[in-house]
Amino acid sequence: MHKYVYLFKEGNADMRELLGGKGANLAEMTNIGLPVPQGFTITTEACTQYYEDGREINDEIQGQINEYIGKMEEITGKKFGDKENPLLVSVRSGARASMPGMMDTILNLGLNEDVVEVIAEKSGNPRWAWDCYRRFIQMYSDVVMEVGKKYFEELIDKMKAKKGVKQDVELTADDLKELASQFKKEYKKKIGKEFPSDPKEQLMGAIKAVFRSWDNPRANVYRRDNDIPYSWGTAVNVQSMAFGNMGDDCGTGVAFTRDPATGEKGLFGEFLTNAQGEDVVAGVRTPMKIAEMEQKFPEAFKQFQDVCKTLEEHYRDMQDMEFTVEHGQLYMLQTRNGKRTAQAALKIACDLVDEGMRTEEEAVAMIDPRNLDTLLHPQFDAKALKEAEPIGKGLGASPGAACGQIVFSAEDAEEWAGKGKKVVLVRLETSPEDITGMKAAQGILTVRGGMTSHAAVVARGMGSCCVSGCGDIKMNEAKKEFTLAGITFHEGDTISIDGTTGCIYEGIIPTVDAAIVGEFGRVMAWADKFRTLKVRTNADTPRDAKKAHELGAEGIGLCRTEHMFFEEDRIAAFREMICSDTVEEREKALDKILPYQQSDFEALYEALEGDSVVVRYLDPPLHEFVPTEEADIAALAKTQGKTVEQIKAIIDSLHEFNPMMGHRGLRLAVTYPEIAKMQTRAVIRAAIKVNKEEGWKIVPEIMIPLSCDSKELKFVKDIVVKVADEEIKAANAKLEYKVGTMIEIPRAALTADEIAAQADFFCFGTNDLTQMTFGFSRDDSGKFLSAYYKEKIFEQDPFARLDQTGVGKLMKMAITLGKPVNKDLHFGICGEHGGDPSSIEFCNAIGLDYVSCSPFRVPIARLAAAQAAIKAKNNK
Ligand code: ADP
Ligand code: MG
Ligand code: MG
């Protein structure tokens, strides 16, 4: 027989997978002798089984639950539905990872018309008894039967109005009794059946509701955002009640052992007398600060302080606890490692090391790398932010703080920023043409679009602040104005937006720049000691490169060169090259670009102070570069000595039905070797020059994109090597350089043994590799992936989390095939996944040498790489 139910006494903290976090910790607290109301936990496996059985609790599991009710009755000396000494319980969900968005707790289960009379009489406290009963009906109706809280709240409000009282506690026993009866009528009206009076029926209903809540939409979204697999399931805890609502010598509270906002050591929390469950956080009355509890409840407070000390020492981490005091006696209802801000996480980790509670390695392992994001962007001055009142809210799409003058178009953003103004770009939505304007702006605010809208994705990539989808904005782009919260904003008015919370403020809130100092610096230094993966950055400009270098990047893993052709002083020359008829004409046009490109590389090398730079050769299809404006076309025709029609015909000929799979990547170098030659001259000349000036030993790494075949790669590589060697010889210099390729087409991975013979390194371009492996267009998949999530076909966006099963298998294959052919071959990744912690763990496991990610993700990657190394070592 499989065991699906455990008494608290039978479990411990290590059984989190089976008992869920809450259950495992209730068991652990029981074992270390803390006062915990006893009960049992139904395992996560029972939840999985429930789904396998078509959302039914099978007889075997029901049988075990009934058996454990018996055991619980023995332990507590109380009986379900009993007329002498009735057992009342709470039913609480509890997944492995704490998950807001799941089921609310049901308290006081086991009550019915008979039992409530019994406890009213026995306790001599009818007010309490009826308070429990009306709460139970309310919670059960809401949580199990989904009747909706508001109907009950309305009835309470009516009753308070009728009695002329303000607070729940002022209602008398009779009022509450009347409310209970109204609640039951409401239940019958909505459900069409009597409120269940059999405690066992109530219990099974509640347990099913917990299992069901694992699959509710809120829970599904939370899981996807937090890497929690659907297959885990939730446990259910059934616990005997402790009562905080029996009078003024009772109460309930929540507390942290350290401040979750700052990490400061010391009790932090709140307590409410004569209250139950969520009253403290629900704001029914104003609770007291935890420290004030000392005067009112000296005994219980002393006891609680001891418990806090015990728990911190036991778990060696900041604890978040829930407790209840019943007639002066303390009961512990929950403990867990408390959620905290990134700032607090760093302080607590350092303090725990200083207090001798944790090793440096453990401290590094206990910080969630994804949290660091909030520390890496400019922040609002905390004090100023506290005093400010938001006028609206959108989605916190890309963290950071931005303030400035409002502009309504990308062109204006560029122009104003060019004049040294700080601007916030406000648009209905953004599109690819807006990118330069988005870069120039401090932040971006859009009316439409979700977390994966163009604005959101691009802003995150650039590390810019973005608030998306603020539907309350009434926009008039033509008149350059919008209204929000009754205020009309015009061009040039000031606004502040918070990309972390999504809040929007009128006027300027001062910001402070992010830096890796203090505790942040200390933790990062520890991380660097433990990691073996190198962390590089994806950067195309000296500014980004410098930022990344400050944030700890060890070189550039991906420098996209296309933007270097877009800039005003080069685009004309590049268009000439595209519209040329002969090699000579093309070379002449490219010669104009060469000095610019060379100086771009020099600036990048300088910014990185000698670290390696991987330069990726031109990748996008040529049609992206051609002019669309009539005037530009005419100008181009003139310089080329062609007619406008001829130029238009050339542009039309570049049209492709599927440009992602069209004439791009190294295919451009195959058809126009002149481009690769020019880029090689620029890369090599810049390296020779900077090495000479600075006395450095930069080893430029030339990366050929999109290869799928070794002969194709050899063709381009031979051109590169020939030109590079000529340049080195002509300069009479010594320079080591590497030529490698991106692995981003499945065929490249499949033929990696052949390709390895032509490459010094492989860099996995997992954006394209994911796209080509799935056959999903990255730009279009958002439209149908939501249906995949809903049907549980996929739980994750493969473009955000590396698909280890398929794409990962291709990566492993490429390494396994490539290594024996070329033992010096080194491996990296430069897709979006290079900055995602769970993907980084995989990269570490399959033996990559480096990950490369956007500048602001560098510290996250450093920490994630350290955690991956620590985990791998401990699993050995
Ligand atoms: P959540 O996971 O949302 O915090 P919990 O299961 O912890 O939900 O329950 C919420 C609150 O209900 C707890 O803070 C506690 O005050 C109260 N509660 C739960 N079980 C009991 C119990 N057995 N006795 C008294 N109060 C309880
Ligand atoms: Mg809780
Ligand atoms: Mg690519």
Side-chain angles (χ1 to χ4, degrees):
M1 196 190 70
H2 195 80
K3 187 169 164 68
Y4 286 108
V5 187
Y6 288 78
L7 285 173
F8 292 167
K9 288 194 273 197
E10 295 175 305
N12 63 57
D14 296 331
M15 293 166 74
R16 167 179 279 272
E17 292 190 6
L18 200 58
L19 305 179
K22 201 177 286 169
N25 286 332
L26 283 167
E28 189 79 5
M29 287 199 289
T30 301
N31 294 340
I32 54 181
L34 300 183
V36 176
Q38 287 302 291
F40 58 82
T41 305
I42 305 162
T43 63
T44 52
E45 289 174 352
C47 177
T48 321
Q49 191 61 48
Y50 159 90
Y51 282 104
E52 257 170 47
D53 293 337
R55 302 188 173 226
E56 287 297 334
I57 301 181
N58 68 31
D59 291 346
E60 186 186 4
I61 298 174
Q62 290 212 23
Q64 289 189 32
I65 294 171
N66 285 328
E67 184 193 330
Y68 274 74
I69 294 171
K71 291 193 185 194
M72 194 170 160
E73 289 174 336
E74 245 168 66
I75 294 171
T76 59
K78 299 178 179 177
K79 259 184 147 51
F80 241 176
D82 195 48
K83 301 265 158 58
E84 285 296 314
N85 198 1
L87 174 65
L88 300 184
V89 300
S90 65
V91 178
R92 319 171 63 187
S93 62
R96 272 194 231 179
S98 116
M99 261 182 63
M102 276 182 51
M103 197 201 76
D104 292 325
T105 297
I106 298 168
L107 303 176
N108 313 322
L109 186 142
L111 280 173
N112 57 32
E113 289 295 321
D114 297 334
V115 173
V116 69
E117 297 285 2
V118 173
I119 63 166
E121 191 182 318
K122 291 244 162 194
S123 64
N125 189 346
R127 189 196 176 278
W128 160 70
W130 289 103
D131 186 45
C132 288
Y133 193 36
R134 68 93 192 167
R135 284 172 187 267
F136 170 55
I137 302 168
Q138 210 175 333
M139 286 185 263
Y140 193 90
S141 308
D142 172 35
V143 175
V144 180
M145 306 307 286
E146 294 165 357
V147 174
K149 283 194 185 87
K150 64 168 189 226
Y151 302 106
F152 302 96
E153 277 159 10
E154 273 166 26
L155 290 171
I156 298 175
D157 287 342
K158 266 194 203 146
M159 178 64 78
K160 285 200 281 197
K162 189 171 133 198
K163 294 287 162 173
V165 301
K166 283 227 166 60
Q167 299 194 327
D168 295 9
V169 274
E170 296 169 278
L171 294 172
T172 65
D174 283 339
D175 300 339
L176 293 165
K177 184 170 178 177
E178 169 58 27
L179 267 181
S181 124
Q182 290 178 4
F183 283 4
K184 285 209 293 187
K185 277 202 202 103
E186 186 69 29
Y187 180 94
K188 191 166 177 202
K189 200 169 104 197
K190 289 274 170 350
I191 301 292
K193 273 198 283 199
E194 292 294 338
F195 189 83
S197 60
D198 174 9
K200 286 201 176 154
E201 185 191 335
Q202 295 170 351
L203 183 62
M204 285 304 168
I207 293 169
K208 272 193 192 164
V210 176
F211 287 159
R212 202 172 60 216
S213 73
W214 179 249
D215 196 26
N216 77 28
R218 276 180 306 163
N220 283 323
V221 168
Y222 185 84
R223 268 198 296 277
R224 196 155 59 243
D225 290 346
N226 291 276
D227 257 342
I228 300 174
Y230 180 70
S231 62
W232 280 4
T234 178
V236 186
N237 301 289
V238 178
Q239 185 176 28
S240 64
M241 288 298 301
F243 294 102
N245 59 338
M246 288 181 104
D248 285 336
D249 60 345
C250 306
T252 184
V254 293
F256 294 84
T257 53
R258 297 171 196 237
D259 186 331
T262 63
E264 212 64 53
K265 192 170 180 171
L267 267 188
F268 183 92
E270 290 178 321
F271 184 80
L272 192 61
T273 47
N274 199 10
Q276 190 174 57
E278 303 289 339
D279 292 358
V280 190
V281 280
V284 289
R285 277 174 285 141
T286 311
M288 60 172 99
K289 293 255 167 317
I290 200 86
E292 293 167 42
M293 202 185 140
E294 187 163 16
Q295 289 117 47
K296 284 203 119 178
F297 298 85
E299 295 269 299
F301 186 70
K302 169 93 207 0
Q303 214 182 339
F304 183 58
Q305 278 181 315
D306 291 344
V307 167
C308 288
K309 189 158 179 292
T310 308
L311 284 176
E312 257 220 356
E313 279 168 9
H314 187 76
Y315 286 97
R316 300 181 299 133
D317 196 354
M318 182 258 261
Q319 293 300 293
D320 166 3
M321 301 152 299
E322 298 173 1
F323 64 96
T324 280
V325 176
E326 177 179 325
H327 296 316
Q329 161 67 42
L330 175 75
Y331 291 97
M332 293 305 297
L333 297 170
Q334 188 171 340
T335 195
R336 62 178 163 205
N337 296 339
K339 286 221 162 40
R340 58 205 81 180
T341 63
Q343 196 62 61
L346 294 168
K347 170 152 178 63
I348 290 169
C350 289
D351 286 353
L352 290 176
V353 169
D354 294 341
E355 289 162 31
M357 289 229 262
R358 290 277 182 181
T359 62
E360 291 173 2
E361 187 175 298
E362 286 171 330
V364 164
M366 69 195 284
I367 294 167
D368 183 349
R370 288 171 302 184
N371 256 352
L372 297 181
D373 211 24
T374 55
L375 297 178
L376 294 169
H377 302 278
Q379 315 273 309
F380 284 124
D381 177 68
K383 200 165 149 263
L385 189 65
K386 222 173 178 176
E387 285 159 11
E389 187 69 40
I391 53 165
K393 201 167 168 24
L395 300 168
S398 179
C403 50
Q405 292 180 285
I406 295 167
V407 291
F408 290 88
S409 75
E411 295 84 63
D412 290 341
E414 249 188 293
E415 196 189 318
W416 290 42
K419 292 183 194 146
K421 290 184 181 161
K422 292 193 164 184
V423 297
V424 173
L425 176 62
V426 185
R427 293 193 51 72
L428 271 178
E429 59 204 339
T430 63
S431 59
E433 306 88 82
D434 294 341
I435 293 199
T436 40
M438 291 170 73
K439 264 205 178 135
Q442 303 293 308
I444 300 130
L445 170 61
T446 68
V447 182
R448 299 194 199 123
M451 294 295 282
T452 54
S453 61
H454 177 266
V457 172
V458 171
R460 282 198 294 273
M462 305 189 307
S464 296
C465 162
C466 173
V467 173
S468 68
C470 177
D472 291 339
I473 292 180
K474 298 263 171 318
M475 174 63 109
N476 190 336
E477 280 187 331
K479 280 179 76 183
K480 294 197 174 179
E481 62 178 46
F482 69 85
T483 48
L484 177 62
I487 310 169
T488 302
F489 291 87
H490 304 94
E491 189 178 46
D493 291 349
T494 54
I495 194 171
S496 299
I497 58 173
D498 186 334
T500 310
T501 60
C503 286
I504 302 161
Y505 304 86
E506 192 183 4
I508 300 279
I509 301 177
T511 57
V512 288
D513 231 359
I516 301 188
V517 292
E519 278 125 1
F520 196 179
R522 233 179 130 193
V523 169
M524 279 296 134
W526 293 335
D528 290 344
K529 276 204 295 204
F530 299 118
R531 73 186 160 93
T532 48
L533 261 182
K534 293 230 176 295
V535 177
R536 292 177 168 184
T537 191
N538 300 348
D540 316 334
T541 63
R543 192 181 115 210
D544 285 356
K546 212 159 164 257
K547 184 83 224 168
H549 195 61
E550 270 165 41
L551 296 174
E554 302 156 296
I556 290 183
L558 172 65
C559 166
R560 304 176 184 89
T561 49
E562 37 272 18
H563 90 273
M564 298 176 175
F565 293 88
F566 266 118
E567 274 170 39
E568 215 173 324
D569 36 10
R570 336 188 174 168
I571 186 72
F574 195 60
R575 285 171 179 167
E576 284 169 33
M577 128 65 215
I578 294 173
C579 295
S580 301
D581 297 316
T582 63
V583 174
E584 290 69 36
E585 269 184 72
R586 277 199 292 276
E587 280 180 340
K588 217 173 96 207
L590 286 166
D591 277 346
K592 294 189 199 165
I593 303 176
L594 173 59
Y596 292 113
Q597 189 129 99
Q598 182 182 334
S599 69
D600 288 338
F601 292 134
E602 284 168 14
L604 277 178
Y605 294 151
E606 292 284 355
L608 282 162
E609 300 176 14
D611 281 348
S612 308
V613 175
V614 177
V615 175
R616 181 181 71 183
Y617 279 13
L618 193 66
D619 187 44
L622 294 182
H623 76 86
E624 288 192 8
F625 298 91
V626 296
T628 50
E629 305 278 329
E630 288 294 330
D632 293 340
I633 295 175
L636 183 59
K638 201 163 160 224
T639 43
Q640 292 285 97
K642 292 194 164 79
T643 66
V644 166
E645 284 62 41
Q646 282 172 319
I647 295 290
K648 282 191 175 163
I650 295 176
I651 293 173
D652 283 345
S653 74
L654 292 172
H655 172 80
E656 289 180 306
F657 287 101
N658 196 346
M660 283 314 293
M661 295 178 147
H663 190 185
R664 54 171 288 222
L666 84 172
R667 295 159 206 169
L668 293 171
V670 173
T671 47
Y672 303 114
E674 309 78 66
I675 305 177
K677 285 183 191 165
M678 184 278 284
Q679 292 203 288
T680 304
R681 288 201 176 93
V683 167
I684 298 295
R685 287 182 192 176
I688 292 173
K689 179 154 181 256
V690 174
N691 274 350
K692 198 166 152 201
E693 280 170 12
E694 302 281 359
W696 290 339
K697 282 212 177 69
I698 300 164
V699 179
E701 298 184 37
I702 291 166
M703 182 155 79
I704 315 286
L706 216 72
S707 59
C708 67
D709 184 89
S710 64
K711 286 212 213 72
E712 172 198 41
L713 179 61
K714 181 172 187 308
F715 177 82
V716 178
K717 190 189 116 181
D718 287 349
I719 293 168
V720 169
V721 168
K722 181 161 177 281
V723 173
D725 291 347
E726 278 167 16
E727 288 293 331
I728 295 169
K729 202 165 159 218
N732 198 11
K734 275 209 174 68
L735 181 76
E736 199 190 326
Y737 66 94
K738 296 197 166 93
V739 184
T741 188
M742 290 185 81
I743 303 290
E744 48 188 342
I745 293 181
R747 194 175 188 279
L750 295 165
T751 59
D753 43 354
E754 294 173 16
I755 290 187
Q758 303 301 331
D760 296 324
F761 62 90
F762 284 174
C763 185
F764 294 99
T766 49
N767 295 348
D768 266 320
L769 189 59
T770 300
Q771 175 159 263
M772 309 254 193
T773 302
F774 279 82
F776 290 172
S777 152
R778 184 162 55 135
D779 302 315
D780 300 314
S781 60
K783 288 189 198 142
F784 53 83
L785 278 179
S786 48
Y788 279 61
Y789 303 144
K790 191 162 151 260
E791 300 303 337
K792 310 273 166 6
I793 301 169
F794 287 174
E795 291 180 42
Q796 297 289 348
D797 177 353
F799 292 103
R801 301 261 186 294
L802 188 70
D803 160 49
Q804 302 182 3
T805 326
V807 177
K809 194 188 259 180
L810 285 170
M811 292 169 71
K812 277 195 258 184
M813 179 185 288
I815 296 172
T816 322
L817 289 176
K819 219 124 203 189
V821 177
N822 178 354
K823 65 173 188 0
D824 295 328
L825 197 62
H826 68 260
F827 304 94
I829 179 174
C830 64
E832 287 273 310
H833 305 101
D836 168 57
S838 70
S839 309
I840 291 172
E841 190 181 334
F842 178 76
C843 292
N844 189 67
I846 63 171
L848 296 197
D849 298 291
Y850 67 88
V851 297
S852 187
C853 56
S854 59
F856 286 101
R857 294 200 76 83
V858 165
I860 297 173
R862 283 161 71 193
L863 183 57
Q867 293 182 347
I870 292 167
K871 207 159 152 191
K873 189 187 82 183
N874 293 344
N875 283 346
K876 253 196 203 137

